[in-house]
Amino acid sequence: MTARIVRPAIRKVTVLGHPVLRKVLRKLRPEEIRSEEMHRLIEEMAVTMDEYDGVGIAGNQVGEDLSVFVMGLPKGNKRHPDGINLTVVFNPVIKPVGDEFEEDWEGCLSVPELRGMVRRHKKLELSGSGLDGKPFKKIYEGFPARVVQHETDHLNGLVYLDRMDGLKTLAYMSEMGRRG
Ligand code: NI
């Protein structure tokens, strides 16, 4: 017998113009969430996110009409030293907590090379299901809350450009780097 190790495939990331990025994605049933195929997809999403240096990736960004996102950032990141634990969320729903907002730069694997300033809720309660298909609720604040909002938007067919107060801050990363 030959042992065969199948590595998760790095998927092609869909970019703006692909219709799946503008779809409201299909909600998943617990038995679908627990399936081997789904766990395979999650592994592929995680390795794709790493490969493209993303902090989060949504189902439609790998071409799937499925309401799921993965997020994660290793500790020690220059801008966000606390990082974000690797998290998988199915069928996410967001409820803002309080009425504070924060503005910060966002980018997106599906909108390559660009950054823009986006106003987001500072704190929120995320409801969704985990890999075991069981529902959970969790409070997020600051940068992880921003990522949760960005990824949940994807599952509703929105990108960060739709959330900008106008496009005047939109900038190429290469040009931002030149100017520090
Ligand atoms: Ni994105």
Side-chain angles (χ1 to χ4, degrees):
M1 205 172 90
T2 314
R4 196 163 71 101
I5 298 165
V6 183
R7 291 175 197 282
I10 293 163
R11 303 278 291 253
K12 186 178 173 186
V13 173
T14 54
V15 294
L16 210 59
H18 194 303
V20 78
L21 289 173
R22 290 310 196 174
K23 276 195 79 165
V24 177
L25 302 184
R26 187 170 73 76
K27 298 268 194 293
L28 294 154
R29 299 186 306 275
E31 58 270 27
E32 289 181 280
I33 292 172
R34 287 191 295 261
S35 70
E36 213 172 286
E37 293 79 3
M38 189 62 69
H39 291 198
R40 187 85 200 157
L41 172 66
I42 297 308
E43 285 178 357
E44 292 182 351
M45 287 174 69
V47 296
T48 304
M49 182 177 81
D50 272 359
E51 176 70 17
Y52 283 79
D53 286 325
V55 180
I57 192 163
N60 48 359
Q61 291 187 282
V62 294
E64 302 286 348
D65 176 11
L66 301 171
S67 181
V68 58
F69 73 77
V70 177
M71 66 175 182
L73 179 68
K75 279 193 182 13
N77 177 270
K78 211 163 107 189
R79 285 195 66 208
H80 307 287
D82 293 342
I84 299 176
N85 291 333
L86 190 64
T87 307
V88 182
V89 190
F90 296 89
N91 309 331
V93 174
I94 282 169
K95 197 170 83 184
V97 175
D99 50 13
E100 277 187 86
F101 290 86
E102 272 179 344
E103 261 207 328
D104 204 353
W105 292 102
E106 286 189 27
C108 181
L109 301 180
S110 296
V111 190
E113 315 293 337
L114 292 166
R115 287 280 183 274
M117 284 294 267
V118 186
R119 203 167 72 104
R120 298 281 189 186
H121 295 286
K122 189 179 176 187
K123 196 171 175 181
L124 58 84
E125 184 190 66
L126 169 69
S127 312
S129 297
L131 277 171
D132 56 5
K134 291 185 181 146
F136 71 88
K137 283 184 202 285
K138 195 172 172 189
I139 301 284
Y140 285 96
E141 192 171 353
F143 179 62
R146 174 173 297 276
V147 176
V148 166
Q149 287 168 88
H150 178 118
E151 299 310 325
T152 302
D153 271 354
H154 272 303
L155 308 185
N156 291 308
L158 296 171
V159 296
Y160 77 86
L161 302 171
D162 303 317
R163 297 292 193 188
M164 290 176 69
D165 297 324
L167 296 175
K168 284 186 176 171
T169 61
L170 197 64
Y172 283 100
M173 277 189 275
S174 54
E175 194 65 18
M176 289 171 76
R178 278 155 51 98
R179 285 157 203 283

